Amino acid sequence: MSVGEYGGNAKEPDAVAKLRSIVGSRNLEKFLMVGIDSVRKLADYTPADLISLKVLDEYDEAARVIRMAREAVGETLLLDYKRRVEIRSLPRLTTGIKAVDELLGGGLEPGKIYGIAGEFGAGKSRFCHQLCVTVQLPPDDLIRGIASKMGIDPDRAVESVLVVDSSDYFNMEEFLRREWPSFIEEGYKLLVIDTLIGPFRQQFPGREEGYKLLVIDTLIGPFRQQFPGREHLAERQQRLNRVIGWVLKHVRRRHLYCVITDQVQAEPTYGGSLKITGGHVLAHGMTYWYWIQSAGSNVRRIMAYDVINKAYGESALFKITDDVLTDV
Ligand SMILES: Nc1ncnc2c1ncn2[C@@H]1O[C@H](COP(=O)(O)OP(=O)(O)OP(=O)(O)O)[C@@H](O)[C@H]1O
Ligand SMILES: [Mg+2]
């Protein structure tokens, strides 16, 4: 995309026009060239990014446009704090395995990055696949959480609500008229649905943008391939850092659930020992670290490795079967 595309009679999209008002007409093309085509995107960059991408030369100028972009999209410290408090009240994502949910304190928290490490064949990918399914489960737990916040009996709310495919959440009334006309007549039930859907929309903007679980099944894998050898280590770590920073912003802003798996590497110590790959950048970048180990042919142990409110080593077992991961 370039400024030229909007020449002649083509109308410049609003997002680009807003960006132009911040970065100025003279610089706009450079921003578009590197894929920064909205104020929202600009707000995610850092001054050092803009300089290394050769979009701007001066640090102060880069810092100024980023500050303006962040203010324009409401990325202020106060909002960030509010968002964190909000996220804490959102429901957790079940893994479908009771023991593991208990270990996780009820499931995965939104807005956090879960690092899952383990040797090849440990079950990291299977774990992620399972989350891709559980994230689509009927939203009973979500409804329970919202209902209790609103002072409605959670069980009654769940009973009263008709569970529909997520694509129908935002057109509930039409869905009900089509699928279940008699439901409409039972006014009190519809009332519950209406009351629930409003906060549901507000609380899950991620849903309206189409997804709420972000899985990166091996972040380090491609970095290991593309930056082989110690001579590329510094650049690899810097880029890795930038990717993690970007992921964290998105996960927080959209209230997403997020899992990043990681490979392990051997440390040359007597008796052998394993550590996570990606150095301090990856180690510090995840909110929580869990480690999956084999505990028998089809049994796995998931262990708290670096979790703020848990002792190292606290663990739960699960079983790999042909289809799902289950309790042992
Ligand atoms: N029905 C089954 N019963 C027991 N074990 C199974 C079954 N199906 C798959 N497995 C085991 O599950 C593991 C698959 O794990 P998965 O692919 O999730 O590992 P991973 O941690 O992602 O590994 P990698 O680092 O190589 O990506 C394998 O060890 C496989 O032997
Ligand atoms: Mg895998």
Side-chain angles (χ1 to χ4, degrees):
M1 187 192 313
S2 74
V3 180
E5 282 175 39
Y6 308 123
N9 293 328
K11 187 175 164 353
E12 183 173 89
D14 280 356
V16 175
K18 285 188 186 133
L19 182 67
R20 182 195 290 276
S21 73
I22 288 184
V23 303
S25 300
R26 202 163 47 87
N27 289 326
L28 182 63
E29 177 120 23
K30 288 195 217 154
F31 282 82
L32 297 179
M33 291 283 283
V34 297
I36 304 175
D37 57 4
S38 68
V39 178
R40 165 79 280 157
K41 283 192 192 163
L42 176 58
D44 283 348
Y45 284 76
T46 65
D49 286 339
L50 296 186
I51 289 169
S52 74
L53 288 167
K54 301 200 181 349
V55 174
L56 293 174
D57 307 322
E58 298 288 326
Y59 187 92
D60 288 352
E61 172 65 357
R64 191 186 62 82
V65 296
I66 287 170
R67 196 167 51 245
M68 283 174 73
R70 288 184 183 165
E71 274 166 16
V73 297
E75 290 284 309
T76 61
L77 276 181
L78 185 65
L79 264 178
D80 200 43
Y81 171 74
K82 271 190 180 162
R83 188 176 296 133
R84 281 175 201 219
V85 172
E86 237 173 64
I87 284 178
R88 256 180 253 144
S89 68
L90 296 179
R92 290 167 179 250
L93 169 62
T94 176
T95 62
I97 313 161
K98 272 208 184 83
V100 178
D101 278 356
E102 266 170 39
L103 177 71
L104 296 172
L108 276 79
E109 291 173 55
K112 305 277 157 84
I113 305 182
Y114 284 77
I116 304 284
E119 290 181 77
F120 67 91
K124 305 181 293 295
S125 297
R126 291 287 304 263
F127 187 78
C128 295
H129 295 160
Q130 179 127 334
L131 294 176
C132 294
V133 177
T134 60
V135 76
Q136 301 185 48
L137 284 175
D140 283 12
D141 291 342
L142 310 187
I143 292 167
R144 276 205 170 83
I146 297 169
S148 57
K149 269 182 80 183
M150 297 175 65
I152 298 172
D153 174 6
D155 290 331
R156 254 197 83 197
V158 169
E159 277 167 26
S160 311
V161 170
L162 175 66
V163 172
V164 294
D165 183 81
S166 63
S167 57
D168 282 313
Y169 286 141
F170 302 110
N171 204 356
M172 185 64 86
E173 191 160 342
E174 194 199 307
F175 172 82
L176 289 174
R177 279 187 209 290
R178 191 179 70 228
E179 299 293 327
W180 198 356
S182 68
F183 199 90
I184 285 287
E185 280 138 39
E186 298 174 57
Y188 79 96
K189 288 187 176 175
L190 188 59
L191 185 72
V192 175
I193 291 171
D194 273 351
T195 337
L196 286 172
I197 289 302
F200 190 88
R201 264 189 180 160
Q202 279 167 16
Q203 293 207 19
F204 298 98
R207 250 178 208 274
E208 291 196 302
E209 290 182 28
Y211 68 101
K212 60 179 186 136
L213 169 67
L214 173 65
V215 172
I216 304 181
D217 193 7
T218 182
L219 175 58
I220 197 70
F223 281 87
R224 270 178 141 177
Q225 287 154 9
Q226 288 181 24
F227 297 94
R230 292 215 154 244
E231 68 274 28
H232 299 294
L233 196 57
E235 195 187 347
R236 181 189 92 174
Q237 292 305 92
Q238 275 180 18
R239 292 222 191 162
L240 194 56
N241 206 4
R242 207 174 290 155
V243 172
I244 294 171
W246 182 90
V247 170
L248 193 58
K249 272 184 208 154
H250 281 257
V251 161
R252 282 205 190 127
R253 183 177 312 127
R254 298 180 182 198
H255 301 173
L256 302 177
Y257 303 104
C258 177
V259 172
I260 296 183
T261 68
D262 192 33
Q263 303 168 350
V264 296
Q265 66 185 80
E267 257 193 319
T269 53
Y270 182 71
S273 130
L274 293 173
K275 62 175 187 175
I276 53 182
T277 311
H280 290 278
V281 165
L282 201 62
H284 289 293
M286 307 294 104
T287 323
Y288 306 125
W289 273 108
Y290 285 87
W291 195 296
I292 301 181
Q293 293 161 324
S294 176
S297 64
N298 63 344
V299 178
R300 299 291 188 270
R301 178 182 301 281
I302 177 163
M303 179 187 93
Y305 184 69
D306 177 16
V307 182
I308 191 158
N309 53 355
K310 239 174 239 319
Y312 167 86
E314 214 176 299
S315 69
L317 294 175
F318 66 89
K319 204 162 66 184
I320 303 184
T321 71
D322 287 345
D323 37 36
V324 291
L325 307 181
T326 62
D327 280 277
V328 174

